[in-house]
Amino acid sequence: MSLANQAEREGEVPVGAVVVCAGEAVGEGWNRTITLSDPAGHAEIIALREAGRRLGNYRLPECTLYVTLEPCCMCAGAMVHARLERVVFGAHDPKTGAAGSVFGVLGDSRHNHVPLVSGGCMAAECAQQLKQFFRQKRDGKGAEGAPSPVTRAKQP
């Protein structure tokens, strides 16, 4: 949750992730898509990249990734390619969740690797933080001094 708080302080959607191997945190990240101007700047991707660099391998077969929100398709695909042993997430994502809420990327047996998945860890706390963040955004009370994302024009 502290990594999600960091994302929120930066005006990003409050999602945080950490990769743990043998009881040690080897990678962490928080959403930074706006800050980095990077559509792949999701918490999970940043955490996976750091873990890979730290361990000297893009494969993370004995690692668990913990994240505050159910991964999207992009992040789920990266998790499969990293060969994570396990993925644990907090809040379910009814719009873009790829661990079963909308898509079943992480559990698809057609992949050459299927990680164990546990959802709903601290779900109420994670969901509350996200709801509060988006409520504040709608009310125009975003994070103080945070960069404002580009908004999409309405389609006719």
Side-chain angles (χ1 to χ4, degrees):
M1 294 285 301
S2 65
L3 296 169
N5 292 336
Q6 179 62 35
E8 187 168 12
R9 282 190 295 277
E10 293 180 13
E12 301 274 1
V13 175
V15 176
V18 62
V19 177
V20 176
C21 286
E24 179 184 357
V26 294
E28 63 180 35
W30 57 90
N31 273 4
R32 303 199 72 212
T33 56
I34 299 165
T35 305
L36 299 174
S37 297
D38 180 2
H42 290 198
E44 301 96 309
I45 299 295
I46 293 169
L48 287 169
R49 286 175 177 161
E50 184 178 316
R53 279 192 297 272
R54 186 158 176 200
L55 296 175
N57 196 338
Y58 70 106
R59 301 280 195 226
L60 306 169
E62 297 175 4
C63 298
T64 298
L65 184 142
Y66 297 89
V67 61
T68 57
L69 179 65
E70 181 178 2
C72 69
C73 289
M74 174 184 67
C75 293
M79 292 171 191
V80 170
H81 288 291
R83 307 289 196 272
L84 286 173
E85 180 177 347
R86 186 170 174 224
V87 176
V88 178
F89 67 88
H92 289 269
D93 185 346
K95 293 186 178 184
T96 63
S101 289
V102 180
F103 306 103
V105 175
L106 287 177
D108 193 326
S109 63
R110 294 173 291 185
H111 292 300
N112 57 355
H113 174 74
V114 178
L116 299 171
V117 178
S118 302
C121 178
M122 296 178 61
E125 297 93 329
C126 294
Q128 181 59 36
Q129 182 176 28
L130 287 159
K131 287 176 187 174
Q132 181 177 339
F133 173 81
F134 285 113
R135 186 178 311 116
Q136 289 176 345
K137 285 289 188 189
R138 283 191 303 274
D139 295 342
K141 299 176 187 170
E144 187 77 31
S148 177
V150 176
T151 56
R152 183 183 298 189
K154 290 186 178 181
Q155 299 296 318

